[in-house]
Amino acid sequence: MLFRSEDVARLAKARDLARPGGLGDLNAAIAQASQIPAGNPRYQEAQGEIRDWNRQIQTIEDQPYLDRAQAMARGGTIPELQAAIAQASNITADRALYRQAQQQVSNWRYQIQLQEDQPYLDRAIAFGNAKDYGAAIDAASQIRRGRALYPEARSQMKRWRREVEAKRNLEQAYLVAQANTPEALVSAISILRNIPASTEVKEQSDMALNRWSYQLLSLANGQANNAAFAEAIKLAKMVPRNSAAYDSAQSQIATWQNSLQPAAPPEPSPVQ
């Protein structure tokens, strides 16, 4: 029982020594509490206090590094931010302020990357606004994966690549449609379906769709004029639903289908 009382007194003295909070005070408290041996009823409690005092010591020792780093970073220039990072990096992973220091370092690195990469993105956006999408993509590609502006650059590149692909599809569709055969027109219209509604060439795509749909209907009318109603119906059915010619095509199909119906036999003459 005496042994336990001495440990209580020793731990109480250590706490008294630590109370002022100076480095010397905390070190003296740790020295006092460290006298409680392992296996003693107060040992775990003493070790918990020692850990807390060590963290306080580390904070006192390392706070000047963090304060100096924050002061260095205040100007916000790249050299100042780099100096701040170097200063904060003196706080190692086993120290109490490490997490706080790393949060600051991460923020400063982010600011550096913004300053370094913003000119690339600004130049890319300028090219994109001028519809020079190839140059825009090349400029934005200078921003590497993992950098602060990479997600924005990637989003812009995705949009520009969609414009490039849409324009390529429209040009291909025009090329295919030049043959002016039913197969060519249907194929050209099919290519237009790959052009997203959000792209700049969508209006041109819709105009081409309507023009080629009316061309299909014209070819169908040509077959009907030659009494080839089955072929006319086949062609008219190729006119897409989302085209301006669709309703006319459906009306013509109904007319031509009636023309294919066999004529009703004449009624017999009444017997005289």
Side-chain angles (χ1 to χ4, degrees), residues 120-152:
Y120 293 120
L121 187 59
D122 290 344
R123 188 158 58 252
I125 290 173
F127 281 129
N129 290 339
K131 299 184 178 11
D132 189 349
Y133 300 121
I137 292 168
D138 287 343
S141 296
Q142 301 297 315
I143 301 173
R144 302 187 306 276
R145 183 183 297 273
R147 304 279 289 181
L149 287 177
Y150 178 75
E152 184 177 353

mmCIF file of all heavy atoms in Angstrom, residues 120-152:
data_model
loop_
_atom_site.group_PDB
_atom_site.id
_atom_site.type_symbol
_atom_site.label_atom_id
_atom_site.label_comp_id
_atom_site.label_asym_id
_atom_site.label_seq_id
_atom_site.Cartn_x
_atom_site.Cartn_y
_atom_site.Cartn_z
ATOM 1 N N TYR A 120 -1.226 28.078 -69.016
ATOM 2 C CA TYR A 120 -1.543 27.037 -70.005
ATOM 3 C C TYR A 120 -3.055 26.959 -70.227
ATOM 4 O O TYR A 120 -3.521 26.878 -71.375
ATOM 5 C CB TYR A 120 -1.038 25.668 -69.537
ATOM 6 C CG TYR A 120 0.455 25.533 -69.474
ATOM 7 C CD1 TYR A 120 1.097 25.240 -68.278
ATOM 8 C CD2 TYR A 120 1.241 25.687 -70.619
ATOM 9 C CE1 TYR A 120 2.482 25.109 -68.212
ATOM 10 C CE2 TYR A 120 2.626 25.551 -70.563
ATOM 11 C CZ TYR A 120 3.235 25.272 -69.355
ATOM 12 O OH TYR A 120 4.604 25.141 -69.297
ATOM 13 N N LEU A 121 -3.808 26.978 -69.119
ATOM 14 C CA LEU A 121 -5.258 26.855 -69.242
ATOM 15 C C LEU A 121 -5.851 28.092 -69.903
ATOM 16 O O LEU A 121 -6.759 27.970 -70.738
ATOM 17 C CB LEU A 121 -5.877 26.633 -67.858
ATOM 18 C CG LEU A 121 -7.380 26.317 -67.847
ATOM 19 C CD1 LEU A 121 -7.670 25.063 -68.667
ATOM 20 C CD2 LEU A 121 -7.879 26.143 -66.421
ATOM 21 N N ASP A 122 -5.351 29.266 -69.536
ATOM 22 C CA ASP A 122 -5.857 30.502 -70.154
ATOM 23 C C ASP A 122 -5.609 30.499 -71.662
ATOM 24 O O ASP A 122 -6.494 30.872 -72.453
ATOM 25 C CB ASP A 122 -5.183 31.716 -69.529
ATOM 26 C CG ASP A 122 -5.627 31.960 -68.092
ATOM 27 O OD1 ASP A 122 -6.657 31.393 -67.690
ATOM 28 O OD2 ASP A 122 -4.937 32.711 -67.376
ATOM 29 N N ARG A 123 -4.417 30.066 -72.060
ATOM 30 C CA ARG A 123 -4.092 30.007 -73.481
ATOM 31 C C ARG A 123 -4.979 28.980 -74.186
ATOM 32 O O ARG A 123 -5.463 29.227 -75.299
ATOM 33 C CB ARG A 123 -2.611 29.669 -73.668
ATOM 34 C CG ARG A 123 -2.151 29.766 -75.098
ATOM 35 C CD ARG A 123 -0.644 29.966 -75.222
ATOM 36 N NE ARG A 123 0.132 28.906 -74.590
ATOM 37 C CZ ARG A 123 0.825 29.054 -73.459
ATOM 38 N NH1 ARG A 123 0.821 30.220 -72.822
ATOM 39 N NH2 ARG A 123 1.527 28.057 -72.951
ATOM 40 N N ALA A 124 -5.190 27.845 -73.534
ATOM 41 C CA ALA A 124 -6.042 26.804 -74.123
ATOM 42 C C ALA A 124 -7.466 27.311 -74.311
ATOM 43 O O ALA A 124 -8.086 27.089 -75.358
ATOM 44 C CB ALA A 124 -6.041 25.563 -73.226
ATOM 45 N N ILE A 125 -7.992 28.009 -73.313
ATOM 46 C CA ILE A 125 -9.363 28.528 -73.398
ATOM 47 C C ILE A 125 -9.463 29.570 -74.507
ATOM 48 O O ILE A 125 -10.465 29.636 -75.233
ATOM 49 C CB ILE A 125 -9.801 29.094 -72.041
ATOM 50 C CG1 ILE A 125 -10.005 27.940 -71.036
ATOM 51 C CG2 ILE A 125 -11.080 29.909 -72.163
ATOM 52 C CD1 ILE A 125 -10.265 28.383 -69.619
ATOM 53 N N ALA A 126 -8.425 30.395 -74.651
ATOM 54 C CA ALA A 126 -8.422 31.382 -75.732
ATOM 55 C C ALA A 126 -8.480 30.695 -77.093
ATOM 56 O O ALA A 126 -9.231 31.104 -77.988
ATOM 57 C CB ALA A 126 -7.185 32.267 -75.629
ATOM 58 N N PHE A 127 -7.691 29.622 -77.269
ATOM 59 C CA PHE A 127 -7.739 28.857 -78.524
ATOM 60 C C PHE A 127 -9.133 28.240 -78.710
ATOM 61 O O PHE A 127 -9.680 28.236 -79.819
ATOM 62 C CB PHE A 127 -6.692 27.747 -78.513
ATOM 63 C CG PHE A 127 -5.293 28.213 -78.814
ATOM 64 C CD1 PHE A 127 -4.241 27.872 -77.977
ATOM 65 C CD2 PHE A 127 -5.024 28.984 -79.935
ATOM 66 C CE1 PHE A 127 -2.945 28.290 -78.250
ATOM 67 C CE2 PHE A 127 -3.730 29.399 -80.224
ATOM 68 C CZ PHE A 127 -2.685 29.065 -79.370
ATOM 69 N N GLY A 128 -9.692 27.703 -77.619
ATOM 70 C CA GLY A 128 -11.014 27.089 -77.703
ATOM 71 C C GLY A 128 -12.082 28.086 -78.098
ATOM 72 O O GLY A 128 -12.970 27.783 -78.910
ATOM 73 N N ASN A 129 -12.008 29.298 -77.536
ATOM 74 C CA ASN A 129 -12.984 30.337 -77.881
ATOM 75 C C ASN A 129 -12.867 30.748 -79.345
ATOM 76 O O ASN A 129 -13.845 31.179 -79.958
ATOM 77 C CB ASN A 129 -12.792 31.560 -76.982
ATOM 78 C CG ASN A 129 -13.208 31.286 -75.549
ATOM 79 O OD1 ASN A 129 -13.981 30.358 -75.281
ATOM 80 N ND2 ASN A 129 -12.705 32.062 -74.614
ATOM 81 N N ALA A 130 -11.634 30.611 -79.887
ATOM 82 C CA ALA A 130 -11.414 30.911 -81.309
ATOM 83 C C ALA A 130 -11.715 29.702 -82.196
ATOM 84 O O ALA A 130 -11.476 29.746 -83.400
ATOM 85 C CB ALA A 130 -9.971 31.373 -81.518
ATOM 86 N N LYS A 131 -12.221 28.633 -81.578
ATOM 87 C CA LYS A 131 -12.569 27.383 -82.272
ATOM 88 C C LYS A 131 -11.365 26.666 -82.870
ATOM 89 O O LYS A 131 -11.506 25.837 -83.776
ATOM 90 C CB LYS A 131 -13.639 27.626 -83.340
ATOM 91 C CG LYS A 131 -14.953 28.175 -82.776
ATOM 92 C CD LYS A 131 -16.001 28.301 -83.836
ATOM 93 C CE LYS A 131 -17.338 28.786 -83.316
ATOM 94 N NZ LYS A 131 -17.449 29.297 -81.977
ATOM 95 N N ASP A 132 -10.183 26.985 -82.363
ATOM 96 C CA ASP A 132 -8.975 26.252 -82.756
ATOM 97 C C ASP A 132 -8.772 25.141 -81.729
ATOM 98 O O ASP A 132 -7.914 25.215 -80.842
ATOM 99 C CB ASP A 132 -7.765 27.197 -82.786
ATOM 100 C CG ASP A 132 -6.529 26.537 -83.403
ATOM 101 O OD1 ASP A 132 -6.556 25.302 -83.601
ATOM 102 O OD2 ASP A 132 -5.545 27.247 -83.673
ATOM 103 N N TYR A 133 -9.592 24.103 -81.851
ATOM 104 C CA TYR A 133 -9.655 23.086 -80.808
ATOM 105 C C TYR A 133 -8.385 22.249 -80.723
ATOM 106 O O TYR A 133 -8.004 21.814 -79.634
ATOM 107 C CB TYR A 133 -10.874 22.189 -81.030
ATOM 108 C CG TYR A 133 -12.167 22.950 -80.992
ATOM 109 C CD1 TYR A 133 -13.034 22.956 -82.080
ATOM 110 C CD2 TYR A 133 -12.524 23.691 -79.870
ATOM 111 C CE1 TYR A 133 -14.223 23.675 -82.052
ATOM 112 C CE2 TYR A 133 -13.713 24.407 -79.837
ATOM 113 C CZ TYR A 133 -14.554 24.395 -80.933
ATOM 114 O OH TYR A 133 -15.719 25.108 -80.896
ATOM 115 N N GLY A 134 -7.719 22.032 -81.831
ATOM 116 C CA GLY A 134 -6.471 21.278 -81.794
ATOM 117 C C GLY A 134 -5.427 21.984 -80.951
ATOM 118 O O GLY A 134 -4.770 21.374 -80.095
ATOM 119 N N ALA A 135 -5.272 23.294 -81.180
ATOM 120 C CA ALA A 135 -4.315 24.072 -80.394
ATOM 121 C C ALA A 135 -4.748 24.159 -78.938
ATOM 122 O O ALA A 135 -3.912 24.137 -78.031
ATOM 123 C CB ALA A 135 -4.175 25.475 -80.992
ATOM 124 N N ALA A 136 -6.057 24.238 -78.711
ATOM 125 C CA ALA A 136 -6.568 24.293 -77.336
ATOM 126 C C ALA A 136 -6.228 23.019 -76.576
ATOM 127 O O ALA A 136 -5.780 23.060 -75.421
ATOM 128 C CB ALA A 136 -8.087 24.509 -77.359
ATOM 129 N N ILE A 137 -6.415 21.889 -77.220
ATOM 130 C CA ILE A 137 -6.114 20.603 -76.585
ATOM 131 C C ILE A 137 -4.618 20.474 -76.315
ATOM 132 O O ILE A 137 -4.205 20.013 -75.252
ATOM 133 C CB ILE A 137 -6.622 19.443 -77.471
ATOM 134 C CG1 ILE A 137 -8.156 19.438 -77.494
ATOM 135 C CG2 ILE A 137 -6.090 18.104 -76.972
ATOM 136 C CD1 ILE A 137 -8.762 18.548 -78.545
ATOM 137 N N ASP A 138 -3.803 20.918 -77.269
ATOM 138 C CA ASP A 138 -2.341 20.849 -77.083
ATOM 139 C C ASP A 138 -1.909 21.697 -75.886
ATOM 140 O O ASP A 138 -1.063 21.274 -75.085
ATOM 141 C CB ASP A 138 -1.628 21.334 -78.343
ATOM 142 C CG ASP A 138 -1.717 20.330 -79.488
ATOM 143 O OD1 ASP A 138 -2.031 19.151 -79.211
ATOM 144 O OD2 ASP A 138 -1.498 20.727 -80.642
ATOM 145 N N ALA A 139 -2.472 22.894 -75.771
ATOM 146 C CA ALA A 139 -2.101 23.783 -74.663
ATOM 147 C C ALA A 139 -2.539 23.199 -73.326
ATOM 148 O O ALA A 139 -1.782 23.187 -72.349
ATOM 149 C CB ALA A 139 -2.713 25.168 -74.875
ATOM 150 N N ALA A 140 -3.764 22.697 -73.261
ATOM 151 C CA ALA A 140 -4.275 22.150 -71.999
ATOM 152 C C ALA A 140 -3.562 20.860 -71.611
ATOM 153 O O ALA A 140 -3.486 20.526 -70.417
ATOM 154 C CB ALA A 140 -5.776 21.902 -72.103
ATOM 155 N N SER A 141 -3.013 20.165 -72.595
ATOM 156 C CA SER A 141 -2.304 18.910 -72.320
ATOM 157 C C SER A 141 -1.005 19.126 -71.555
ATOM 158 O O SER A 141 -0.419 18.166 -71.039
ATOM 159 C CB SER A 141 -2.008 18.166 -73.626
ATOM 160 O OG SER A 141 -3.207 17.787 -74.266
ATOM 161 N N GLN A 142 -0.550 20.372 -71.483
ATOM 162 C CA GLN A 142 0.658 20.675 -70.719
ATOM 163 C C GLN A 142 0.425 20.522 -69.215
ATOM 164 O O GLN A 142 1.378 20.408 -68.436
ATOM 165 C CB GLN A 142 1.113 22.118 -71.011
ATOM 166 C CG GLN A 142 1.412 22.380 -72.479
ATOM 167 C CD GLN A 142 2.560 21.536 -72.996
ATOM 168 O OE1 GLN A 142 3.590 21.421 -72.342
ATOM 169 N NE2 GLN A 142 2.370 20.932 -74.161
ATOM 170 N N ILE A 143 -0.831 20.509 -68.800
ATOM 171 C CA ILE A 143 -1.165 20.382 -67.376
ATOM 172 C C ILE A 143 -1.248 18.897 -67.051
ATOM 173 O O ILE A 143 -2.129 18.184 -67.518
ATOM 174 C CB ILE A 143 -2.492 21.091 -67.069
ATOM 175 C CG1 ILE A 143 -2.375 22.575 -67.440
ATOM 176 C CG2 ILE A 143 -2.857 20.934 -65.591
ATOM 177 C CD1 ILE A 143 -3.672 23.350 -67.348
ATOM 178 N N ARG A 144 -0.343 18.426 -66.232
ATOM 179 C CA ARG A 144 -0.202 16.989 -65.984
ATOM 180 C C ARG A 144 -1.214 16.474 -64.959
ATOM 181 O O ARG A 144 -1.735 17.229 -64.133
ATOM 182 C CB ARG A 144 1.216 16.676 -65.493
ATOM 183 C CG ARG A 144 2.324 17.107 -66.470
ATOM 184 C CD ARG A 144 3.679 16.609 -66.001
ATOM 185 N NE ARG A 144 3.966 17.006 -64.630
ATOM 186 C CZ ARG A 144 4.475 18.172 -64.280
ATOM 187 N NH1 ARG A 144 4.726 19.093 -65.205
ATOM 188 N NH2 ARG A 144 4.731 18.458 -63.016
ATOM 189 N N ARG A 145 -1.443 15.177 -65.032
ATOM 190 C CA ARG A 145 -2.298 14.500 -64.059
ATOM 191 C C ARG A 145 -1.748 14.718 -62.653
ATOM 192 O O ARG A 145 -0.550 14.666 -62.419
ATOM 193 C CB ARG A 145 -2.347 13.006 -64.362
ATOM 194 C CG ARG A 145 -3.268 12.202 -63.452
ATOM 195 C CD ARG A 145 -3.178 10.725 -63.783
ATOM 196 N NE ARG A 145 -3.636 10.454 -65.120
ATOM 197 C CZ ARG A 145 -4.907 10.231 -65.446
ATOM 198 N NH1 ARG A 145 -5.841 10.255 -64.518
ATOM 199 N NH2 ARG A 145 -5.254 9.983 -66.702
ATOM 200 N N GLY A 146 -2.649 14.949 -61.705
ATOM 201 C CA GLY A 146 -2.244 15.168 -60.323
ATOM 202 C C GLY A 146 -2.050 16.622 -59.966
ATOM 203 O O GLY A 146 -1.887 16.954 -58.793
ATOM 204 N N ARG A 147 -2.066 17.514 -60.973
ATOM 205 C CA ARG A 147 -1.888 18.938 -60.726
ATOM 206 C C ARG A 147 -3.236 19.575 -60.351
ATOM 207 O O ARG A 147 -4.306 19.053 -60.661
ATOM 208 C CB ARG A 147 -1.304 19.615 -61.951
ATOM 209 C CG ARG A 147 0.012 19.024 -62.434
ATOM 210 C CD ARG A 147 1.174 19.538 -61.640
ATOM 211 N NE ARG A 147 1.440 20.938 -61.937
ATOM 212 C CZ ARG A 147 2.425 21.622 -61.380
ATOM 213 N NH1 ARG A 147 3.228 21.041 -60.500
ATOM 214 N NH2 ARG A 147 2.623 22.889 -61.694
ATOM 215 N N ALA A 148 -3.156 20.753 -59.736
ATOM 216 C CA ALA A 148 -4.361 21.402 -59.217
ATOM 217 C C ALA A 148 -5.401 21.665 -60.309
ATOM 218 O O ALA A 148 -6.607 21.486 -60.090
ATOM 219 C CB ALA A 148 -3.982 22.715 -58.529
ATOM 220 N N LEU A 149 -4.957 22.084 -61.485
ATOM 221 C CA LEU A 149 -5.884 22.447 -62.554
ATOM 222 C C LEU A 149 -6.178 21.299 -63.519
ATOM 223 O O LEU A 149 -6.883 21.493 -64.506
ATOM 224 C CB LEU A 149 -5.327 23.643 -63.344
ATOM 225 C CG LEU A 149 -5.369 24.991 -62.623
ATOM 226 C CD1 LEU A 149 -4.718 26.075 -63.468
ATOM 227 C CD2 LEU A 149 -6.811 25.381 -62.298
ATOM 228 N N TYR A 150 -5.659 20.114 -63.221
ATOM 229 C CA TYR A 150 -5.851 18.999 -64.142
ATOM 230 C C TYR A 150 -7.331 18.649 -64.353
ATOM 231 O O TYR A 150 -7.751 18.453 -65.519
ATOM 232 C CB TYR A 150 -5.090 17.764 -63.662
ATOM 233 C CG TYR A 150 -5.273 16.556 -64.546
ATOM 234 C CD1 TYR A 150 -4.624 16.465 -65.782
ATOM 235 C CD2 TYR A 150 -6.116 15.514 -64.187
ATOM 236 C CE1 TYR A 150 -4.795 15.381 -66.613
ATOM 237 C CE2 TYR A 150 -6.299 14.417 -65.012
ATOM 238 C CZ TYR A 150 -5.635 14.350 -66.222
ATOM 239 O OH TYR A 150 -5.825 13.261 -67.043
ATOM 240 N N PRO A 151 -8.158 18.569 -63.304
ATOM 241 C CA PRO A 151 -9.576 18.235 -63.542
ATOM 242 C C PRO A 151 -10.269 19.236 -64.471
ATOM 243 O O PRO A 151 -11.030 18.839 -65.352
ATOM 244 C CB PRO A 151 -10.178 18.262 -62.132
ATOM 245 C CG PRO A 151 -9.037 17.972 -61.220
ATOM 246 C CD PRO A 151 -7.860 18.639 -61.859
ATOM 247 N N GLU A 152 -9.989 20.528 -64.279
ATOM 248 C CA GLU A 152 -10.616 21.531 -65.151
ATOM 249 C C GLU A 152 -10.085 21.410 -66.578
ATOM 250 O O GLU A 152 -10.846 21.490 -67.548
ATOM 251 C CB GLU A 152 -10.362 22.934 -64.612
ATOM 252 C CG GLU A 152 -11.064 24.019 -65.411
ATOM 253 C CD GLU A 152 -10.876 25.409 -64.838
ATOM 254 O OE1 GLU A 152 -10.304 25.534 -63.738
ATOM 255 O OE2 GLU A 152 -11.302 26.371 -65.516
#
